[in-house]
Amino acid sequence: MFKRDVYAIRDLIMRNLRVQGLETPLLQKRLVDAWPQVAGPLIARYTVDTAIRNQTLWVRLSNPALRADLSMRRQEFVCRLNEHVGSQIITDIRFC
C-alpha cells in the first residue's frame, strides 16, 4: 500500500493561482474590497475611489479635513490592511 500526499484545497488553489500569475491581483482586489471594513463606516462614507499602484493604495476622499487626519494614521492602516489580507501587498497609503 502506498501513502498519498494530502493537501488542503486552499493550498492547491493558491499554488495554481501563483503558477498562473494571478495570486497578486487577487490579493490586491481583496485589499481594495477590505478598505470599507478596515477603515470603518464613517470613513467609507467619504471614500470616493480606491486603487493600488506600485504597492501604494490611493484613496480618494471627499472631505479635506478627514484627508489630513488620515494622513497622520496611514501607517496604522497599512498594517491593518496587510494583516487583513494575510500578505504584504501595500507599503504606503496616499490620500487625495
Side-chain angles (χ1 to χ4, degrees):
M1 186 170 237
F2 60 93
K3 183 178 178 183
R4 295 184 183 186
D5 292 331
V6 179
Y7 300 104
I9 191 79
R10 181 184 191 284
D11 295 337
L12 293 173
I13 291 172
M14 291 307 285
R15 183 171 36 174
N16 191 21
L17 289 172
R18 191 175 306 119
V19 168
Q20 294 179 10
L22 299 173
E23 181 183 31
T24 302
L26 176 67
L27 291 174
Q28 288 177 346
K29 174 71 171 135
R30 286 180 54 203
L31 188 132
V32 168
D33 290 345
W35 170 253
Q37 181 183 359
V38 171
L42 180 65
I43 296 170
R45 188 175 342 154
Y46 292 105
T47 301
V48 177
D49 190 28
T50 55
I52 296 178
R53 283 183 228 112
N54 297 329
Q55 292 186 330
T56 301
L57 178 66
W58 292 84
V59 179
R60 193 164 157 225
L61 298 169
S62 61
N63 187 331
L66 182 62
R67 186 180 316 136
D69 181 45
L70 293 180
S71 292
M72 291 182 262
R73 298 176 42 204
R74 69 182 189 209
Q75 198 58 31
E76 173 191 343
F77 284 113
V78 167
C79 292
R80 287 174 50 193
L81 285 165
N82 284 329
E83 217 174 83
H84 184 78
V85 175
S87 183
Q88 181 72 26
I89 300 299
I90 59 171
T91 56
D92 196 14
I93 297 179
R94 299 291 176 168
F95 298 100
C96 51

